[in-house]
Coordinates of all heavy atoms in Angstrom, one line a residue:
Chain A
M1 N 0.2 -20.7 -4.8 CA 0.4 -20.0 -6.2 C 0.8 -18.6 -6.0 O 0.1 -17.8 -5.4 CB -1.1 -20.2 -6.8 CG -1.2 -19.4 -8.1 SD -0.2 -19.8 -9.4 CE -0.9 -21.6 -9.7
N2 N 1.9 -18.2 -6.8 CA 2.2 -16.9 -6.8 C 1.8 -16.2 -8.1 O 1.9 -16.8 -9.2 CB 3.8 -16.7 -6.7 CG 4.2 -16.2 -5.3 OD1 4.0 -16.8 -4.3 ND2 4.9 -15.1 -5.4
I3 N 1.2 -14.9 -7.8 CA 0.6 -14.4 -8.9 C 1.2 -13.0 -9.2 O 1.6 -12.3 -8.3 CB -0.9 -14.1 -8.6 CG1 -1.6 -15.4 -8.3 CG2 -1.6 -13.4 -9.7 CD1 -2.9 -15.1 -7.5
F4 N 1.5 -12.6 -10.4 CA 2.1 -11.4 -10.7 C 0.8 -10.5 -11.3 O 0.0 -10.8 -12.1 CB 3.0 -11.6 -12.0 CG 3.6 -10.4 -12.6 CD1 4.4 -9.5 -11.8 CD2 3.2 -10.1 -14.0 CE1 4.9 -8.5 -12.6 CE2 3.8 -9.1 -14.4 CZ 4.6 -8.1 -13.8
V5 N 1.0 -9.3 -10.8 CA -0.2 -8.3 -11.2 C 0.5 -7.1 -11.6 O 1.4 -6.4 -11.0 CB -1.0 -8.0 -9.9 CG1 -2.3 -7.1 -10.2 CG2 -1.5 -9.2 -9.1
A6 N 0.1 -6.6 -12.9 CA 0.7 -5.5 -13.6 C -0.2 -4.5 -13.9 O -1.4 -4.8 -13.9 CB 1.6 -6.0 -14.8
K7 N 0.3 -3.2 -14.3 CA -0.6 -2.2 -14.8 C -1.6 -1.7 -13.7 O -2.7 -1.2 -13.9 CB -1.3 -2.5 -15.9 CG -0.3 -2.9 -17.1 CD -1.0 -2.8 -18.6 CE 0.0 -3.0 -19.6 NZ -0.5 -2.9 -20.8
L8 N -1.0 -1.7 -12.4 CA -1.7 -1.1 -11.4 C -1.8 0.3 -11.3 O -1.0 1.0 -12.1 CB -1.1 -1.6 -9.9 CG -1.0 -3.1 -9.6 CD1 -0.1 -3.4 -8.6 CD2 -2.4 -3.7 -9.5
G9 N -2.8 0.9 -10.7 CA -2.9 2.3 -10.5 C -1.9 2.8 -9.6 O -1.3 2.1 -8.8
R10 N -1.4 4.1 -9.8 CA -0.3 4.6 -8.9 C -0.6 4.7 -7.4 O 0.3 4.9 -6.7 CB 0.3 5.8 -9.6 CG -0.4 7.1 -9.9 CD -1.9 7.0 -10.2 NE -2.5 8.3 -9.9 CZ -3.4 8.7 -9.1 NH1 -3.9 7.7 -8.3 NH2 -4.0 9.8 -9.1
N11 N -1.8 4.5 -7.1 CA -2.2 4.6 -5.7 C -2.5 3.3 -4.9 O -2.7 3.1 -3.9 CB -3.5 5.5 -5.5 CG -3.2 6.9 -5.9 OD1 -4.0 7.4 -6.7 ND2 -2.4 7.5 -5.3
T12 N -2.4 2.3 -5.8 CA -2.7 0.8 -5.4 C -1.6 0.3 -4.4 O -0.4 0.6 -4.8 CB -2.9 -0.1 -6.6 OG1 -3.8 0.4 -7.4 CG2 -3.3 -1.5 -6.2
T13 N -2.1 -0.2 -3.3 CA -1.0 -0.8 -2.3 C -1.2 -2.3 -2.2 O -2.1 -2.8 -2.9 CB -1.3 0.0 -1.0 OG1 -2.5 -0.5 -0.5 CG2 -1.2 1.5 -1.1
S14 N -0.4 -2.8 -1.5 CA -0.3 -4.2 -1.1 C -1.7 -4.7 -0.3 O -2.3 -5.7 -0.7 CB 0.7 -4.5 -0.1 OG 1.9 -4.3 -0.8
D15 N -2.2 -3.6 0.5 CA -3.5 -4.0 1.1 C -4.7 -4.0 0.1 O -5.6 -4.6 0.2 CB -3.8 -2.9 2.1 CG -3.0 -3.0 3.4 OD1 -2.5 -4.1 3.6 OD2 -2.9 -2.1 4.2
D16 N -4.6 -3.1 -1.0 CA -5.5 -3.2 -2.0 C -5.6 -4.5 -2.8 O -6.7 -5.0 -3.0 CB -5.3 -2.0 -2.9 CG -5.6 -0.6 -2.3 OD1 -6.4 -0.5 -1.5 OD2 -4.7 0.3 -2.7
L17 N -4.4 -5.0 -3.0 CA -4.4 -6.3 -3.7 C -4.9 -7.4 -2.8 O -5.7 -8.4 -3.2 CB -2.9 -6.6 -4.1 CG -2.3 -5.7 -5.2 CD1 -0.9 -6.3 -5.5 CD2 -3.2 -5.9 -6.4
N18 N -4.7 -7.2 -1.5 CA -5.1 -8.3 -0.5 C -6.7 -8.3 -0.5 O -7.3 -9.3 -0.5 CB -4.6 -8.0 0.9 CG -4.8 -8.9 1.8 OD1 -4.8 -8.6 3.1 ND2 -5.1 -10.1 1.5
A19 N -7.1 -7.0 -0.4 CA -8.7 -7.0 -0.4 C -9.3 -7.5 -1.7 O -10.3 -8.2 -1.8 CB -9.0 -5.4 -0.2
L20 N -8.5 -7.3 -2.7 CA -9.2 -7.7 -4.2 C -9.2 -9.2 -4.3 O -10.1 -9.8 -4.6 CB -8.2 -7.0 -5.3 CG -8.8 -7.2 -6.6 CD1 -10.2 -6.7 -6.8 CD2 -7.8 -6.7 -7.6
F21 N -8.0 -9.8 -3.9 CA -7.8 -11.3 -4.2 C -8.3 -12.1 -3.1 O -8.8 -13.3 -3.5 CB -6.3 -11.6 -4.3 CG -5.7 -11.2 -5.7 CD1 -5.5 -9.9 -6.0 CD2 -5.6 -12.1 -6.7 CE1 -5.0 -9.6 -7.3 CE2 -5.0 -11.8 -8.0 CZ -4.7 -10.4 -8.3
S22 N -8.5 -11.6 -1.9 CA -9.1 -12.3 -0.8 C -10.6 -12.7 -1.1 O -11.1 -13.6 -0.4 CB -9.0 -11.7 0.5 OG -9.6 -10.3 0.5
Q23 N -11.1 -12.0 -2.0 CA -12.6 -12.3 -2.4 C -12.6 -13.8 -3.0 O -13.7 -14.2 -3.2 CB -13.0 -11.3 -3.3 CG -13.2 -9.9 -2.9 CD -13.4 -8.9 -3.9 OE1 -14.3 -8.1 -3.8 NE2 -12.7 -8.8 -5.0
Y24 N -11.5 -14.2 -3.6 CA -11.6 -15.5 -4.3 C -11.0 -16.6 -3.3 O -11.1 -17.8 -3.9 CB -10.7 -15.4 -5.5 CG -11.4 -14.4 -6.5 CD1 -11.1 -13.0 -6.5 CD2 -12.3 -14.9 -7.3 CE1 -11.7 -12.0 -7.3 CE2 -13.0 -14.0 -8.2 CZ -12.7 -12.5 -8.1 OH -13.4 -11.7 -8.9
G25 N -10.3 -16.4 -2.3 CA -9.8 -17.3 -1.5 C -8.8 -16.8 -0.5 O -8.6 -15.6 -0.5
E26 N -8.1 -17.6 0.3 CA -7.1 -17.1 1.1 C -5.9 -16.7 0.6 O -5.3 -17.3 -0.2 CB -6.8 -18.2 2.2 CG -5.8 -17.8 3.3 CD -5.5 -18.9 4.2 OE1 -5.9 -20.0 4.1 OE2 -4.7 -18.7 5.1
V27 N -5.7 -15.4 0.9 CA -4.3 -14.7 0.4 C -3.3 -14.8 1.5 O -3.4 -14.3 2.6 CB -4.7 -13.3 0.1 CG1 -3.2 -12.6 -0.3 CG2 -5.6 -13.1 -1.1
T28 N -2.2 -15.3 1.1 CA -1.1 -15.7 2.1 C -0.3 -14.3 2.2 O 0.1 -13.8 3.3 CB -0.1 -16.8 1.5 OG1 -0.9 -17.9 1.3 CG2 0.8 -17.1 2.6
S29 N -0.1 -13.7 1.1 CA 0.9 -12.3 1.2 C 0.6 -11.7 -0.1 O 0.2 -12.2 -1.2 CB 2.3 -12.7 1.4 OG 2.8 -13.4 0.3
T30 N 0.8 -10.4 0.0 CA 0.7 -9.3 -1.2 C 1.8 -8.4 -1.1 O 2.3 -8.1 0.0 CB -0.7 -8.7 -1.2 OG1 -0.7 -8.0 0.0 CG2 -1.8 -9.6 -1.4
K31 N 2.4 -7.9 -2.2 CA 3.3 -6.9 -2.3 C 3.1 -6.1 -3.5 O 3.0 -6.6 -4.7 CB 4.7 -7.5 -2.2 CG 5.8 -6.4 -2.2 CD 7.1 -7.0 -2.2 CE 7.4 -7.5 -0.7 NZ 8.8 -7.9 -0.6
V32 N 3.2 -4.7 -3.4 CA 3.2 -3.9 -4.5 C 4.7 -3.3 -4.4 O 5.0 -2.8 -3.5 CB 2.2 -2.7 -4.5 CG1 2.4 -1.7 -5.6 CG2 0.8 -3.3 -4.6
I33 N 5.4 -3.4 -5.7 CA 6.7 -2.9 -5.8 C 6.6 -1.3 -5.9 O 6.2 -0.8 -6.7 CB 7.4 -3.5 -7.1 CG1 7.2 -5.0 -7.0 CG2 8.8 -3.1 -7.0 CD1 7.6 -5.8 -5.7
M34 N 7.4 -0.9 -4.8 CA 7.6 0.6 -4.8 C 9.1 1.0 -4.9 O 10.0 0.2 -4.5 CB 7.1 1.0 -3.5 CG 5.8 0.5 -3.1 SD 4.3 1.6 -3.5 CE 4.5 3.0 -2.5
D35 N 9.4 2.1 -5.5 CA 10.8 2.5 -5.3 C 11.1 3.1 -4.0 O 10.4 3.9 -3.5 CB 11.0 3.6 -6.4 CG 12.4 4.1 -6.5 OD1 12.9 4.8 -5.6 OD2 13.1 3.7 -7.5
H36 N 12.0 2.4 -3.2 CA 12.1 2.9 -1.9 C 12.7 4.1 -1.6 O 12.7 4.7 -0.5 CB 13.0 1.7 -1.2 CG 14.4 1.6 -1.7 ND1 15.4 2.0 -0.8 CD2 15.0 1.5 -2.9 CE1 16.7 2.0 -1.5 NE2 16.5 1.8 -2.6
E37 N 13.1 4.9 -2.6 CA 13.7 6.1 -2.3 C 12.7 7.3 -2.8 O 12.6 8.3 -2.1 CB 14.9 6.4 -3.2 CG 16.0 5.4 -2.8 CD 17.4 6.0 -2.6 OE1 17.5 7.2 -2.9 OE2 18.3 5.3 -2.2
T38 N 11.9 7.0 -3.9 CA 10.9 8.0 -4.3 C 9.7 7.8 -3.7 O 8.9 8.7 -3.6 CB 10.9 8.1 -5.9 OG1 10.4 6.9 -6.3 CG2 12.2 8.3 -6.4
G39 N 9.3 6.5 -3.4 CA 8.0 6.2 -2.9 C 7.0 5.9 -4.0 O 5.8 5.7 -3.7
Y40 N 7.4 6.1 -5.3 CA 6.5 5.9 -6.4 C 6.2 4.3 -6.6 O 7.2 3.6 -6.5 CB 7.1 6.4 -7.7 CG 7.0 8.0 -7.7 CD1 8.1 8.8 -7.8 CD2 5.7 8.6 -7.5 CE1 8.0 10.1 -8.0 CE2 5.6 10.0 -7.5 CZ 6.9 10.9 -7.8 OH 6.9 12.0 -7.8
S41 N 5.1 4.0 -6.9 CA 4.7 2.7 -7.2 C 5.3 2.3 -8.6 O 5.4 3.0 -9.5 CB 3.2 2.4 -7.3 OG 2.9 1.2 -7.7
K42 N 5.9 1.0 -8.7 CA 6.3 0.5 -9.9 C 5.2 0.1 -10.8 O 5.5 -0.5 -12.0 CB 7.4 -0.6 -9.7 CG 8.5 -0.2 -8.6 CD 9.5 0.9 -9.4 CE 10.4 0.2 -10.4 NZ 11.4 1.3 -11.0
R43 N 3.9 0.1 -10.3 CA 2.8 -0.2 -11.0 C 2.6 -1.8 -11.2 O 1.9 -2.1 -12.1 CB 2.7 0.5 -12.3 CG 3.0 2.0 -12.2 CD 1.9 2.8 -11.6 NE 2.3 4.1 -11.5 CZ 2.2 5.0 -12.4 NH1 1.7 4.7 -13.5 NH2 2.6 6.2 -12.2
Y44 N 3.3 -2.5 -10.5 CA 3.2 -3.9 -10.5 C 3.4 -4.6 -9.2 O 3.9 -3.9 -8.3 CB 4.0 -4.7 -11.7 CG 5.5 -4.5 -11.4 CD1 6.1 -5.5 -10.5 CD2 6.3 -3.5 -11.9 CE1 7.5 -5.4 -10.4 CE2 7.6 -3.5 -11.7 CZ 8.2 -4.4 -10.8 OH 9.6 -4.4 -10.8
G45 N 2.9 -5.8 -9.0 CA 2.9 -6.4 -7.7 C 2.7 -7.9 -7.7 O 2.7 -8.5 -8.8
F46 N 2.7 -8.4 -6.5 CA 2.6 -9.9 -6.3 C 1.6 -10.3 -5.3 O 1.5 -9.5 -4.3 CB 4.0 -10.5 -5.9 CG 5.0 -10.3 -7.1 CD1 5.9 -9.0 -6.9 CD2 5.2 -11.2 -8.0 CE1 6.7 -9.0 -8.0 CE2 6.1 -11.1 -9.1 CZ 6.9 -9.9 -9.0
V47 N 0.9 -11.4 -5.6 CA -0.1 -11.9 -4.6 C 0.2 -13.4 -4.4 O 0.4 -14.1 -5.5 CB -1.6 -11.8 -5.2 CG1 -2.6 -12.2 -4.1 CG2 -1.8 -10.2 -5.4
E48 N 0.2 -13.9 -3.2 CA 0.3 -15.3 -3.0 C -1.0 -15.8 -2.4 O -1.3 -15.2 -1.4 CB 1.6 -15.6 -2.0 CG 1.9 -17.0 -1.9 CD 3.2 -17.2 -1.3 OE1 3.6 -16.3 -0.4 OE2 3.7 -18.4 -1.4
M49 N -1.5 -16.9 -3.0 CA -2.8 -17.4 -2.5 C -2.5 -18.8 -2.0 O -1.7 -19.6 -2.6 CB -3.8 -17.4 -3.6 CG -4.2 -16.1 -4.0 SD -5.7 -15.7 -4.8 CE -6.9 -16.4 -3.8
A50 N -3.3 -19.3 -0.9 CA -3.1 -20.5 -0.4 C -3.6 -21.6 -1.2 O -3.0 -22.8 -1.3 CB -3.7 -20.6 1.0
N51 N -4.6 -21.5 -1.9 CA -5.2 -22.5 -2.7 C -5.1 -22.3 -4.2 O -5.5 -21.2 -4.7 CB -6.7 -22.6 -2.4 CG -7.5 -23.8 -3.0 OD1 -7.6 -23.7 -4.3 ND2 -7.9 -24.7 -2.2
D52 N -4.5 -23.2 -5.0 CA -4.2 -23.0 -6.4 C -5.4 -22.9 -7.2 O -5.5 -22.0 -8.1 CB -3.5 -24.2 -6.8 CG -2.0 -24.4 -6.4 OD1 -1.7 -23.4 -5.6 OD2 -1.3 -25.2 -6.7
D53 N -6.5 -23.6 -6.9 CA -7.6 -23.4 -7.8 C -8.3 -22.1 -7.7 O -8.9 -21.5 -8.5 CB -8.7 -24.6 -7.4 CG -8.2 -26.0 -7.7 OD1 -7.5 -26.1 -8.8 OD2 -8.5 -26.8 -7.0
E54 N -8.4 -21.6 -6.3 CA -8.9 -20.3 -6.1 C -8.0 -19.2 -6.8 O -8.5 -18.2 -7.4 CB -8.9 -20.0 -4.6 CG -10.1 -20.9 -3.9 CD -10.0 -20.7 -2.4 OE1 -9.0 -20.5 -2.0 OE2 -11.0 -21.2 -1.8
A55 N -6.7 -19.5 -6.8 CA -5.8 -18.5 -7.5 C -6.1 -18.5 -9.0 O -6.1 -17.4 -9.5 CB -4.4 -19.0 -7.2
Y56 N -6.3 -19.6 -9.6 CA -6.5 -19.5 -11.0 C -7.8 -18.9 -11.3 O -8.0 -18.2 -12.3 CB -6.6 -21.1 -11.6 CG -5.3 -21.7 -11.8 CD1 -4.9 -22.9 -10.9 CD2 -4.3 -21.1 -12.6 CE1 -3.6 -23.4 -11.2 CE2 -3.0 -21.8 -12.7 CZ -2.8 -22.8 -12.0 OH -1.5 -23.5 -12.2
K57 N -8.8 -19.1 -10.4 CA -10.1 -18.4 -10.5 C -10.0 -16.9 -10.5 O -10.5 -16.2 -11.3 CB -11.1 -19.0 -9.4 CG -12.3 -18.1 -9.4 CD -13.2 -18.3 -10.7 CE -14.6 -17.7 -10.5 NZ -15.3 -17.8 -11.7
A58 N -9.2 -16.5 -9.6 CA -8.9 -15.1 -9.2 C -8.1 -14.5 -10.6 O -8.3 -13.4 -11.0 CB -8.0 -14.9 -8.1
I59 N -7.2 -15.2 -11.0 CA -6.4 -14.7 -12.2 C -7.4 -14.6 -13.4 O -7.4 -13.5 -14.0 CB -5.3 -15.8 -12.6 CG1 -4.1 -15.8 -11.6 CG2 -4.7 -15.5 -14.0 CD1 -3.2 -16.9 -11.7
E60 N -8.2 -15.5 -13.7 CA -9.0 -15.4 -14.9 C -10.1 -14.4 -14.6 O -10.5 -13.8 -15.8 CB -9.5 -16.8 -15.4 CG -10.2 -17.5 -14.4 CD -10.7 -18.9 -15.0 OE1 -11.2 -18.9 -16.2 OE2 -10.4 -19.9 -14.5
D61 N -10.6 -14.3 -13.5 CA -11.6 -13.2 -13.3 C -11.0 -11.8 -13.1 O -11.7 -10.9 -13.7 CB -12.3 -13.6 -11.9 CG -13.7 -13.2 -12.0 OD1 -14.6 -13.7 -12.7 OD2 -14.2 -12.4 -11.1
L62 N -9.9 -11.7 -12.5 CA -9.3 -10.3 -12.4 C -8.5 -9.8 -13.5 O -8.2 -8.6 -13.6 CB -8.7 -10.4 -11.0 CG -9.4 -10.4 -9.8 CD1 -8.5 -10.7 -8.5 CD2 -10.4 -9.5 -9.6
N63 N -7.9 -10.7 -14.3 CA -7.0 -10.2 -15.3 C -7.9 -9.4 -16.3 O -9.0 -9.8 -16.6 CB -6.5 -11.5 -16.1 CG -5.7 -11.1 -17.3 OD1 -4.7 -10.2 -17.1 ND2 -5.7 -11.7 -18.4
D64 N -7.4 -8.3 -16.8 CA -7.9 -7.4 -17.8 C -9.3 -6.8 -17.1 O -10.2 -6.3 -17.9 CB -8.4 -8.2 -19.1 CG -8.5 -7.2 -20.2 OD1 -7.8 -6.1 -20.3 OD2 -9.4 -7.4 -21.0
S65 N -9.2 -6.7 -15.8 CA -10.3 -6.0 -15.1 C -9.9 -4.6 -14.8 O -8.8 -4.3 -14.6 CB -10.9 -6.9 -14.0 OG -9.9 -6.8 -13.0
E66 N -11.0 -3.8 -14.5 CA -10.6 -2.4 -14.2 C -10.3 -2.3 -12.6 O -11.2 -2.8 -11.9 CB -11.6 -1.4 -14.6 CG -11.2 0.1 -14.4 CD -12.4 1.0 -14.8 OE1 -12.8 0.8 -16.0 OE2 -12.8 1.8 -13.9
F67 N -9.2 -1.5 -12.2 CA -9.0 -1.4 -10.9 C -8.2 -0.1 -10.7 O -7.3 0.1 -11.3 CB -8.1 -2.7 -10.4 CG -7.9 -2.6 -8.7 CD1 -9.0 -2.7 -8.0 CD2 -6.7 -2.5 -8.4 CE1 -8.8 -2.8 -6.6 CE2 -6.5 -2.5 -6.9 CZ -7.5 -2.6 -6.1
D68 N -8.6 0.6 -9.7 CA -8.1 1.9 -9.6 C -8.0 2.8 -10.7 O -7.1 3.5 -10.9 CB -6.8 1.7 -8.8 CG -6.3 3.1 -8.2 OD1 -7.0 4.0 -7.7 OD2 -4.9 3.2 -8.1
G69 N -9.0 2.7 -11.6 CA -8.9 3.5 -12.8 C -8.1 2.9 -14.0 O -8.1 3.5 -15.0
S70 N -7.6 1.7 -13.7 CA -6.7 1.2 -14.7 C -7.2 -0.3 -15.0 O -7.6 -1.0 -14.1 CB -5.2 1.2 -14.3 OG -4.6 2.2 -15.1
N71 N -6.8 -0.7 -16.3 CA -7.1 -2.2 -16.6 C -5.8 -2.8 -16.2 O -4.6 -2.5 -16.5 CB -7.3 -2.1 -18.1 CG -7.1 -3.4 -18.8 OD1 -7.0 -4.4 -18.0 ND2 -7.2 -3.5 -20.0
I72 N -6.0 -3.9 -15.3 CA -4.9 -4.7 -14.8 C -4.6 -6.0 -15.4 O -5.5 -6.6 -16.1 CB -5.1 -4.8 -13.2 CG1 -6.1 -5.7 -13.0 CG2 -5.1 -3.5 -12.5 CD1 -6.2 -6.1 -11.4
V73 N -3.3 -6.4 -15.3 CA -3.0 -7.7 -15.8 C -2.7 -8.7 -14.6 O -1.9 -8.2 -13.7 CB -1.8 -7.5 -16.7 CG1 -1.3 -8.9 -17.3 CG2 -2.1 -6.7 -17.8
V74 N -3.3 -9.8 -14.6 CA -3.1 -10.8 -13.6 C -2.6 -12.2 -14.1 O -3.2 -12.7 -15.0 CB -4.3 -11.0 -12.8 CG1 -4.1 -11.9 -11.6 CG2 -4.9 -9.6 -12.3
K75 N -1.5 -12.6 -13.7 CA -1.0 -13.8 -14.3 C -0.1 -14.6 -13.3 O 0.3 -14.0 -12.3 CB -0.3 -13.7 -15.7 CG 0.7 -12.6 -15.7 CD 0.9 -12.2 -17.1 CE 2.3 -12.3 -17.5 NZ 2.7 -11.7 -18.8
K76 N 0.3 -15.8 -13.7 CA 1.2 -16.5 -12.7 C 2.5 -15.9 -12.6 O 3.0 -15.4 -13.7 CB 1.3 -17.9 -13.2 CG 0.1 -18.9 -13.0 CD 0.4 -20.3 -13.4 CE 0.6 -20.3 -15.0 NZ 0.6 -21.9 -15.4
S77 N 3.0 -15.9 -11.5 CA 4.4 -15.3 -11.3 C 5.4 -16.2 -11.7 O 5.4 -17.3 -11.6 CB 4.5 -14.9 -9.8 OG 5.9 -14.4 -9.7
T78 N 6.7 -15.6 -11.9 CA 7.9 -16.4 -12.1 C 8.8 -15.9 -11.0 O 8.8 -14.7 -10.4 CB 8.5 -16.1 -13.4 OG1 8.8 -14.8 -13.6 CG2 7.5 -16.5 -14.6
P79 N 9.6 -16.9 -10.4 CA 10.5 -16.5 -9.3 C 11.5 -15.5 -9.9 O 11.9 -15.4 -11.0 CB 11.0 -17.7 -8.8 CG 10.8 -18.8 -9.9 CD 9.8 -18.2 -10.7
R80 N 12.2 -14.8 -9.0 CA 13.2 -13.9 -9.3 C 14.4 -14.6 -9.8 O 15.1 -14.1 -10.6 CB 13.7 -13.1 -8.1 CG 12.8 -11.9 -7.7 CD 13.3 -11.4 -6.5 NE 12.8 -11.9 -5.3 CZ 13.4 -11.8 -4.1 NH1 14.3 -10.9 -3.9 NH2 13.0 -12.5 -3.1
G81 N 14.7 -15.8 -9.3 CA 15.8 -16.5 -10.0 C 17.0 -16.2 -9.3 O 17.8 -15.3 -9.4
Chain B
dC1 P 5.8 -9.8 -23.7 OP1 6.9 -10.1 -24.3 OP2 5.1 -10.4 -22.5 O5' 5.7 -8.1 -23.4 C5' 6.7 -7.3 -24.0 C4' 6.4 -5.8 -23.6 O4' 5.2 -5.3 -24.0 C3' 6.5 -5.7 -22.1 O3' 6.9 -4.4 -21.7 C2' 5.0 -5.9 -21.6 C1' 4.4 -5.2 -22.8 N1 3.0 -5.7 -23.0 C2 1.8 -4.9 -23.1 O2 2.1 -3.7 -22.8 N3 0.6 -5.5 -23.4 C4 0.6 -6.7 -23.6 N4 -0.7 -7.2 -23.9 C5 1.7 -7.6 -23.6 C6 2.8 -7.2 -23.2
dG2 P 8.3 -4.2 -21.3 OP1 8.7 -2.9 -21.1 OP2 9.2 -5.3 -21.9 O5' 8.2 -4.7 -19.8 C5' 7.7 -3.8 -18.6 C4' 7.3 -4.6 -17.4 O4' 6.0 -4.8 -17.8 C3' 7.8 -5.9 -17.2 O3' 9.0 -5.7 -16.2 C2' 6.7 -6.5 -16.4 C1' 5.5 -6.0 -17.0 N9 4.7 -6.8 -17.9 C8 5.1 -7.9 -18.5 N7 4.3 -8.5 -19.2 C5 3.1 -7.7 -19.0 C6 1.8 -7.8 -19.5 O6 1.3 -8.7 -20.4 N1 0.9 -6.9 -19.1 C2 1.3 -5.8 -18.3 N2 0.3 -5.0 -18.0 N3 2.5 -5.7 -17.8 C4 3.4 -6.7 -18.2
dT3 P 9.9 -6.9 -16.1 OP1 11.3 -6.4 -15.9 OP2 9.8 -7.9 -17.3 O5' 9.5 -7.6 -14.8 C5' 9.2 -6.9 -13.6 C4' 9.3 -7.9 -12.4 O4' 8.1 -8.6 -12.5 C3' 10.5 -8.8 -12.3 O3' 10.8 -9.1 -11.1 C2' 10.0 -10.1 -13.1 C1' 8.5 -10.1 -12.4 N1 7.8 -10.9 -13.3 C2 7.2 -12.1 -12.7 O2 7.7 -12.4 -11.5 N3 6.5 -12.9 -13.5 C4 6.1 -12.5 -14.7 O4 5.3 -13.3 -15.4 C5 6.5 -11.3 -15.3 C7 6.2 -10.9 -16.7 C6 7.3 -10.6 -14.6
dG4 P 12.1 -8.4 -10.3 OP1 12.4 -7.1 -11.0 OP2 13.1 -9.3 -10.2 O5' 11.4 -8.0 -8.9 C5' 10.6 -6.9 -8.8 C4' 10.1 -6.6 -7.4 O4' 9.2 -7.7 -6.9 C3' 11.3 -6.6 -6.5 O3' 11.2 -5.4 -5.8 C2' 11.1 -7.9 -5.6 C1' 9.8 -8.2 -5.8 N9 9.5 -9.7 -6.0 C8 10.2 -10.6 -6.9 N7 9.8 -11.7 -6.8 C5 8.8 -11.8 -5.8 C6 7.9 -12.7 -5.4 O6 7.9 -13.9 -5.8 N1 7.0 -12.3 -4.5 C2 6.9 -11.0 -4.0 N2 6.1 -10.8 -3.1 N3 7.8 -10.0 -4.3 C4 8.6 -10.5 -5.3
dA5 P 12.5 -4.9 -5.1 OP1 12.4 -3.5 -4.9 OP2 13.7 -5.4 -5.7 O5' 12.5 -5.5 -3.7 C5' 11.3 -5.7 -2.9 C4' 11.6 -5.8 -1.4 O4' 12.2 -7.1 -1.1 C3' 12.5 -4.7 -0.8 O3' 12.0 -4.2 0.3 C2' 13.9 -5.6 -0.5 C1' 13.4 -6.9 -0.2 N9 14.3 -8.0 -0.6 C8 15.1 -8.1 -1.6 N7 15.9 -9.1 -1.7 C5 15.4 -9.9 -0.8 C6 15.6 -11.2 -0.2 N6 16.5 -12.0 -0.9 N1 15.0 -11.7 0.7 C2 14.0 -11.0 1.4 N3 13.6 -9.6 1.0 C4 14.4 -9.2 0.0
dG6 P 12.7 -3.2 1.2 OP1 11.5 -2.4 1.8 OP2 13.7 -2.6 0.4 O5' 13.3 -4.1 2.5 C5' 12.5 -5.0 3.1 C4' 13.3 -5.9 4.0 O4' 14.2 -6.6 3.3 C3' 14.3 -5.0 4.9 O3' 14.1 -5.4 6.3 C2' 15.5 -5.3 4.6 C1' 15.4 -6.7 3.9 N9 16.4 -6.8 2.8 C8 16.9 -6.0 1.8 N7 17.7 -6.6 0.9 C5 17.6 -7.8 1.3 C6 18.4 -9.0 0.7 O6 19.1 -9.0 -0.2 N1 18.1 -10.2 1.4 C2 17.3 -10.4 2.3 N2 17.2 -11.5 2.9 N3 16.6 -9.2 3.0 C4 17.0 -8.1 2.5
dC7 P 14.1 -4.3 7.4 OP1 13.5 -4.8 8.6 OP2 13.6 -3.0 6.8 O5' 15.6 -4.0 7.7 C5' 16.4 -5.2 8.2 C4' 17.9 -4.7 8.4 O4' 18.5 -4.8 7.2 C3' 18.0 -3.2 8.8 O3' 18.9 -3.2 9.9 C2' 18.4 -2.5 7.7 C1' 19.2 -3.8 7.0 N1 19.2 -3.5 5.3 C2 20.5 -3.4 4.8 O2 21.5 -3.4 5.4 N3 20.5 -3.3 3.4 C4 19.3 -3.2 2.8 N4 19.5 -3.0 1.4 C5 18.1 -3.3 3.5 C6 18.1 -3.5 4.7
dG8 P 18.6 -3.0 11.3 OP1 17.3 -3.6 11.8 OP2 18.8 -1.4 11.3 O5' 19.9 -3.6 11.9 C5' 19.7 -4.8 12.7 C4' 19.5 -6.0 11.8 O4' 20.5 -6.0 10.8 C3' 19.6 -7.4 12.5 O3' 18.4 -7.8 12.8 C2' 20.2 -8.3 11.3 C1' 20.5 -7.3 10.4 N9 21.8 -7.6 9.6 C8 23.0 -7.8 10.3 N7 24.0 -8.0 9.5 C5 23.5 -7.8 8.1 C6 24.1 -7.7 6.9 O6 25.2 -8.0 6.6 N1 23.1 -7.5 5.9 C2 21.8 -7.3 6.1 N2 21.1 -7.0 5.1 N3 21.2 -7.3 7.4 C4 22.2 -7.5 8.4
dT9 P 18.3 -9.0 13.9 OP1 17.7 -8.4 15.1 OP2 19.7 -9.7 14.0 O5' 17.3 -10.0 13.2 C5' 16.0 -10.3 13.8 C4' 15.1 -11.2 13.0 O4' 15.1 -10.7 11.7 C3' 15.6 -12.5 12.8 O3' 14.6 -13.4 13.4 C2' 15.6 -12.7 11.4 C1' 14.8 -11.7 10.8 N1 15.5 -11.2 9.4 C2 15.0 -11.7 8.3 O2 13.9 -12.5 8.3 N3 15.6 -11.4 7.1 C4 16.8 -10.6 7.0 O4 17.3 -10.5 6.0 C5 17.3 -10.2 8.4 C7 18.6 -9.3 8.4 C6 16.7 -10.5 9.5

DNA sequence: CGTGAGCGT
């Protein structure tokens, strides 16, 4: 299950998402999108979880929760296409 | 509302 995470704090990193989501199940990979030239976070990211049911649990539990001083959005990802 | 990179694997 790939998960899209938006409205992250500007200090939030892939490791932070990993720590957050791994509480609900096995996290396969995480990524926070950063501008590769400025180093500024784009304030959104992706989490991939091994188990779909745990992923859904993480989504409903973490969506609209406070993280790094901000309320975050967690939902299913769509591929880049 | 808001959907990703790498640099040669």
